[in-house]
Amino acid sequence: MRRYLPILEWGRHYDRLSLLSDLLAAVIVTIMLIPQSLAYALLAGLPPEIGLYASIAPLLAYALFGTSRVLAVGPVAVVSLMTAAAVAPLAAQGSAEYLGAAIVLAALSGLILLAMGLLRLGWIANFISHPVMAGFITASALLIAAGQVPTLLGLQARGETLPSLFMALLPKLESARLDVLALGLAVTGFLFWARKGVQPLLRSFGMRPELAAAAGRAAPLLAVAASILLVRLTDLAPPLVGEIPRGLPLPALPSLDPALWQALLVPAALIALVGYVESVSVAQTLAARRRQRIAPDQELVALGAANLSSAFTGGFPVTGGFARSVVNADAGATTPAAGAFTALGMVMASFWLTPLLADLPKATLAATIIVAVLALVDLRALPRMLAYSRADGGAMAATIAATLLLGVETGITAGVVLSIFLHLWRSSRPHMAVIGQVPGTEHFRNVERHHVVTAPDVLSIRVDESLYFPNVRFLEDRLLIALAEKPGLAHVVLDCAAVNVIDASAVETLEQLMSRLDEAGVALHLSEVKGPVMDRLQRSSFLQHLTGRIFLTQFDAMMALAPDLTAGCRAADRCETARRRG
Amino acid sequence: MRRYLPILEWGRHYDRLSLLSDLLAAVIVTIMLIPQSLAYALLAGLPPEIGLYASIAPLLAYALFGTSRVLAVGPVAVVSLMTAAAVAPLAAQGSAEYLGAAIVLAALSGLILLAMGLLRLGWIANFISHPVMAGFITASALLIAAGQVPTLLGLQARGETLPSLFMALLPKLESARLDVLALGLAVTGFLFWARKGVQPLLRSFGMRPELAAAAGRAAPLLAVAASILLVRLTDLAPPLVGEIPRGLPLPALPSLDPALWQALLVPAALIALVGYVESVSVAQTLAARRRQRIAPDQELVALGAANLSSAFTGGFPVTGGFARSVVNADAGATTPAAGAFTALGMVMASFWLTPLLADLPKATLAATIIVAVLALVDLRALPRMLAYSRADGGAMAATIAATLLLGVETGITAGVVLSIFLHLWRSSRPHMAVIGQVPGTEHFRNVERHHVVTAPDVLSIRVDESLYFPNVRFLEDRLLIALAEKPGLAHVVLDCAAVNVIDASAVETLEQLMSRLDEAGVALHLSEVKGPVMDRLQRSSFLQHLTGRIFLTQFDAMMALAPDLTAGCRAADRCETARRRG
């Protein structure tokens, strides 16, 4: 029970001190979340109030089920972009169908996360490698920022890819409004400055550091308030957010149209995976700082519940956001109750702030989005990855290119498929070395790299990888080549020091190989076989058919098969015996 | 040039002795191939003469491009079944479209094989694991044998799965013909007996052993001749093969209908892969016996050329067959010229034998198919696999069930996908062990299995796998758990003796982990890092950020971090230093 409801754990020890800390953190996060929630709803192509709705129930659900003390769940930029990409092909923006599809998307990704959590399938997310995730986040952030350019110009143009966005914007450029652009750039400049400049400024006025930090988080809300005042007090008439319904929606069941569910299945799975990877990474970073830990499988359950609750209260897909969670942690949140209080703050905002927001310029929200997402862009990672390995750098470059040019769904899918393909390719050709004895020692090293001696009728080969179906044929080819090229061969010794697993394909291939070698008069021996591997070999017929022997060490093997050679090592017990493999 | 045309190699040394050996082998293989080629064409749902056509040009193409000296290419049972499964949904059996689709299938799988060969993608075939291939062959053989039952009963009923075959046969059962069944069972019984009984019998009559063996191969052809005589001389009127056009077809271009090519793309890829795996395995077994070798990538080119030539001469997909190749090798074939002579034999058969075959009962061919494929069924492999590992046995069982119940394409695909999934799953959770020092030695062993000592503030962990994106988060989770559970922890040492690769995801995770540990006041150290891994780490920023140290050995690490502990090992040079990991 406690595994699935962590609140039972931390709730027992909840005291006044925790309450105060959590309340303070909740106030600061709420101030930050109000403009973000509106902005990310617009980014997803939804009415702004949907952002508020998606910032209430999911926070409560996460407070019940989540294992991170400080994760702040809600609408985030990349998931909002993915929502827009998933829903846009199915319905016209602004229509009831569009909203309905976004709600189904939240329900479906919630169910997928929940199922992954209950079936303990969190490991699937490991297959989104770092280079792919980093490339995807960078490219998504660039797409999002580019997508705000039309709004900054007072125009309406959307596109799921850079080229389509450009083509949509181009014909409208002549009606761009410079006054709106001036407003947007001013807000953008202010917010960029505020990220670094507010705190020192306030502190130089004598404000307490914690208070100055909290005030710094209010910069976007301040920009929102100032923009509304500007619109009300001057003649400036930029495109506005417009009337926002006051209060909260009634809970409702998402649409159960099977065709819609089917159309959204793959996007929902991608959103679930990407959201989970982002969220868990944030939660782990913040938990480790306090020597706490999170339970990744339970996080799936919690994020699933958050998304389901979002769907039932008219919201769209949510996940744990990086910036918000860091602020929550820095502001002193000690339990998930801080999230629940934030939800309370958002409820109040839905009742009392919504009437004020009608005059909010969309360009102001676009500016907050741009400033938020440009922090996610990390193009310098690409040359770093390429320098480290071509496979990793290539996967990252492919993900960035595919995301920018073909859209988010194709981008992340291409990245994951390519990295798994490269992984399989790499594991299909393990490093192998023909080894020989370092004269006068019990060491055996790669004949191509070291000065070693070998016996003409013995081939010793070391495989630096477990033997399983993707790579065992590679070993087979290698040995058959040796068999054809070395006419005097009588013994093959397989040094298994680095072999952690031998699967059924490998055992069968080794047996076949053994009988082929046998027909050619060559015996197959094994050395340095690990305990668990040996246990398993004993369950197959391999050892009964073994034409050679099992040697405890490679040196034992050479002593038995090529005594002349090992005689150079005067006495086994006086040899330096520490064996290192490289 | 010689890489792509092995004939240039063996052709130079061709002499009279080789010619005689090859001619003799060709005669024996031709005798065996005539009934098989007719039978496998019927199995593929094609007119019998297509089997003859597919046994001419492909053999010549393989003789030019192939690297095996004895592989006999042509129609084989499993590929014929896959052809029927691929083409049946697209056209009615017996129609020109059906034949056209089979020809396109040969062209397409030829092109796929050729492309794989030129791009050196032969390793892709490694992902068909042994249990999956074994399960697929067994299930296909059972499907093929079951599919011959209607013909044995003088009926017509087809089905791509066991249930659909059963449902197709059931309503027709009352018109089953017992006379046809008697003929079919007689032929089946004769052929089963002939596989073991003919040779000893003939030798007991004083026949030379080689001649007796060759005569044994003629049993199917003898059954064909006897059946024809029986039909001509008696009143028995079973369903007959009917008129077969005499002579050879003119070379023609396969249909270029893009919709047809698209529909056949996936089946063609599966046929290419399965055919290649089967063929290479046969070729390697036979080559090793003579200490020869084959070039797997060139085999792709050769099989690609064979299939393309089949398509251009009105044939269907082909590959290297097991039984036929063994006979070819046993009969003394020394070069691929034996294949070319076999092709010549098949040309003669197309001209001179076809008029005789009109009266051949289909039941006789069904009997030859049953006897041939039942040799491929190996159900005892399943419990053997299950005993060895549940993953391997499960993949095999799933492949068998999916093939029998859902058809060949679903069966092989399900098997491959499942085994790759299990492989990824396994590699996502490597074996890790917390290690401690074996008192008085430099050995370090798993604390759960051995009596070892550890320091309270040092955690030493050994990962028995390379670190890459599928598994690195698993290590991360493990270390974060340790961090949360061990309050006094100050050092983590990662024993990298079994780590052959650290990819970019792993480096980044380690860096994050390191900074998380650092924030909690814990230093991360590495020990036993292999040379190539170290080279690569030096290309990243990992070593600059390293909070701990790199130790050459785990013992060095413990000497530095927990000197009290290692003091028990009196003098390092007198300790037993051979280190074995298990």
Side-chain angles (χ1 to χ4, degrees), chain B residues 177-342:
Chain B
R177 288 183 48 184
L178 290 182
D179 54 344
V180 179
L181 182 63
L183 167 68
L185 289 181
V187 176
T188 308
F190 167 69
L191 292 176
F192 265 120
W193 169 80
R195 285 175 62 185
K196 299 265 159 111
V198 167
Q199 264 186 268
L201 187 74
L202 292 178
R203 269 148 69 179
S204 72
F205 291 154
M207 196 185 266
R208 291 218 330 262
E210 312 86 70
L211 212 56
R217 309 298 176 191
L221 196 63
L222 193 68
V224 164
S227 307
I228 294 173
L229 276 181
L230 192 74
V231 168
R232 292 212 174 163
L233 300 180
T234 68
D235 285 342
L236 191 70
L240 299 176
V241 164
E243 285 298 327
I244 298 183
R246 192 169 178 171
L248 296 177
L250 286 175
L253 211 60
S255 153
L256 292 174
D257 173 11
L260 185 59
W261 282 65
Q262 211 189 331
L264 290 173
L265 187 61
V266 172
L270 292 176
I271 287 176
L273 280 180
V274 168
Y276 171 66
V277 170
E278 209 181 340
S279 180
V280 156
S281 151
V282 175
Q284 271 176 338
T285 301
L286 296 176
R289 276 193 202 164
R290 304 186 182 185
R291 288 199 168 214
Q292 293 165 349
R293 60 181 269 243
I294 61 157
D297 281 326
Q298 176 61 18
E299 281 300 288
L300 283 164
V301 173
L303 289 176
N307 275 292
L308 276 173
S309 73
S310 182
F312 281 98
T313 53
F316 66 113
V318 295
T319 192
F322 177 69
R324 224 174 292 153
S325 302
V326 171
V327 168
N328 197 29
D330 288 352
T334 57
T335 73
F341 298 143
T342 306

Side-chain angles (χ1 to χ4, degrees), chain A residues 289 388 464 500 502 519 581, chain B residues 289 388 464 500 502 519:
Chain A
R289 273 194 203 164
Y388 187 73
D464 287 341
N500 298 305
I502 296 187
E519 285 174 22
R581 289 148 201 119
Chain B
R289 276 193 202 164
Y388 187 73
D464 287 341
N500 298 305
I502 296 188
E519 286 174 22

Side-chain angles (χ1 to χ4, degrees), chain B residues 345-410:
Chain B
M346 295 305 285
V347 170
M348 292 192 282
S350 318
F351 278 96
W352 298 333
L353 277 190
T354 42
L356 307 173
L357 293 172
D359 289 334
L360 174 61
K362 285 184 173 175
T364 300
L365 289 181
T368 67
I369 293 178
I370 289 178
V371 174
V373 298
L374 284 185
L376 302 175
V377 174
D378 180 13
L379 280 173
R380 275 171 306 182
L382 185 57
R384 208 171 63 222
M385 288 288 173
L386 278 169
Y388 187 73
S389 101
R390 275 183 306 165
D392 286 308
M396 184 172 183
T399 307
I400 292 177
T403 304
L404 290 178
L405 300 177
L406 304 169
V408 280
E409 286 170 16
T410 314

